[in-house]
Amino acid sequence: MLKLFSASFLTMFFTASSFAQDPNFYIFLSFGQSNMEGHSKPEPQDTVANERFKVLQAVDCPDLDRIMGNWYTAIPPLSRCNTGLTPGDYFGKTLAESLPDSIKIGIINVSVGGCKIELFEKDSYESYVETAPGWMKGMIAQYDGNPYGRLLELAKIAQKDGVIKGILLHQGESNTGDKSWPKKVEGVYDNLLSDLGLAPDSVPLLAGELVSAEQGGKCASMNPIIATLPDVIPNSYVISSADCEAIADGLHFSAAGYRLLGSRYGEQMAALLMKE
């Protein structure tokens, strides 16, 4: 009887331990449109892995041997199967280098090129999807038609393994000129925290500027609106895109631009975490 009890106890102990939340595993949610999705092709230096930086796969990618909902060492693509380099790549690398070796970094990236912030409004996204162009509907379908729902689903999986420490956003090109954008972002932010059981304003939100006017940014007029986000969400921070190289379309960053922008996300988050 004692042996049977001991075996049962050990089985329960190791099963519980294998699913225990690790307070040193810092999880970050990221979402947005094409620049967060990843537009520029990764170069050899971008595929050098840091074993402390992980990605929770957002869609099944058989060609990459990745299954949705599983953790992998983070190398591009971080979003869907054929996307490119993102700010998230160098956010994670920079943060891992800035924090003690005992800390692991995990990222979740659910992004859709060309989308408005309205796609992530959980109570009204369906009306936006109905009017979306066919090419966008195909991308949305990879998230079972609900990118916000997929982000939330993955975040809940991640919460079993680690602690959500921040949210990254790069979006706004498709909302250029929309002065209500900060309030819409606030709605998405508040919903995420509420649905994940996190205290209001407890998690910092980092939002990147769009391609700057100096780099020929076609949507640079949106940056002053993005700059007002901290007025609406006190625990938010705007990441400068100054000197972040862009490509000829005036909408997307080059690989070098993503590296610089991503490192700035990482430096800002490291500074916030150091205060803790």
Side-chain angles (χ1 to χ4, degrees):
M1 185 71 178
L2 179 60
K3 288 182 179 179
L4 180 61
F5 172 80
S6 298
S8 299
F9 175 79
L10 288 172
T11 299
M12 291 173 62
F13 174 80
F14 284 114
T15 300
S17 297
S18 65
F19 292 96
Q21 185 186 61
D22 182 355
N24 289 328
F25 190 15
Y26 292 1
I27 310 297
F28 299 90
L29 314 183
S30 64
F31 69 102
Q33 55 183 110
S34 56
N35 275 310
M36 187 59 87
E37 178 184 73
H39 189 270
S40 290
K41 184 178 179 180
E43 298 173 359
Q45 63 183 299
D46 306 319
T47 61
V48 177
N50 184 320
E51 293 299 325
R52 289 170 47 226
F53 178 33
K54 307 293 183 180
V55 60
L56 188 61
Q57 187 63 27
V59 299
D60 289 330
C61 291
D63 291 347
L64 300 175
D65 292 324
R66 296 184 190 176
I67 299 171
M68 186 193 81
N70 288 355
W71 289 106
Y72 299 92
T73 300
I75 57 174
L78 299 186
S79 182
R80 296 190 317 282
C81 310
N82 298 307
T83 53
L85 195 65
T86 84
D89 287 284
Y90 279 83
F91 161 80
K93 290 182 178 182
T94 301
L95 192 55
E97 292 170 359
S98 303
L99 298 178
D101 291 345
S102 59
I103 304 297
K104 292 188 302 180
I105 310 300
I107 194 167
I108 302 167
N109 189 337
V110 175
S111 300
V112 176
C115 75
K116 289 187 174 183
I117 194 64
E118 283 83 347
L119 180 60
F120 292 92
E121 294 178 337
K122 75 170 189 175
D123 296 322
S124 57
Y125 75 94
E126 290 174 307
S127 61
Y128 179 78
V129 174
E130 287 176 2
T131 62
W135 55 266
M136 188 186 296
K137 287 181 178 178
M139 293 189 286
I140 296 170
Q142 293 185 52
Y143 299 120
D144 288 337
N146 182 359
Y148 177 88
R150 177 62 55 84
L151 183 61
L152 184 62
E153 174 188 5
L154 294 171
K156 288 181 177 180
I157 292 173
Q159 282 183 307
K160 297 176 183 178
D161 301 319
V163 181
I164 294 175
K165 289 287 190 175
I167 302 173
L168 316 178
L169 171 67
H170 198 284
Q171 193 280 330
E173 292 90 348
S174 294
N175 287 86
T176 297
D178 181 359
K179 293 183 179 180
S180 64
W181 180 86
K183 290 295 294 182
K184 293 174 181 177
V185 172
E186 181 189 30
V188 178
Y189 173 77
D190 287 347
N191 282 335
L192 280 172
L193 268 58
S194 176
D195 290 342
L196 292 171
L198 301 171
D201 294 324
S202 61
V203 175
L205 171 67
L206 275 53
E209 290 183 334
L210 312 186
V211 173
S212 68
E214 290 74 17
Q215 290 288 330
K218 293 181 178 178
C219 300
S221 62
M222 184 64 180
N223 286 336
I225 295 176
I226 295 174
T228 68
L229 189 61
D231 297 335
V232 178
I233 304 174
N235 199 9
S236 67
Y237 304 84
V238 176
I239 309 303
S240 171
S241 67
D243 302 320
C244 293
E245 183 181 80
I247 62 174
D249 67 4
L251 297 171
H252 300 101
F253 298 96
S254 68
Y258 284 124
R259 291 182 201 115
L260 180 56
L261 184 63
S263 68
R264 288 175 177 168
Y265 274 87
E267 289 164 359
Q268 177 65 76
M269 188 61 72
L272 294 171
L273 292 172
M274 295 294 187
K275 290 180 180 179
E276 293 184 6

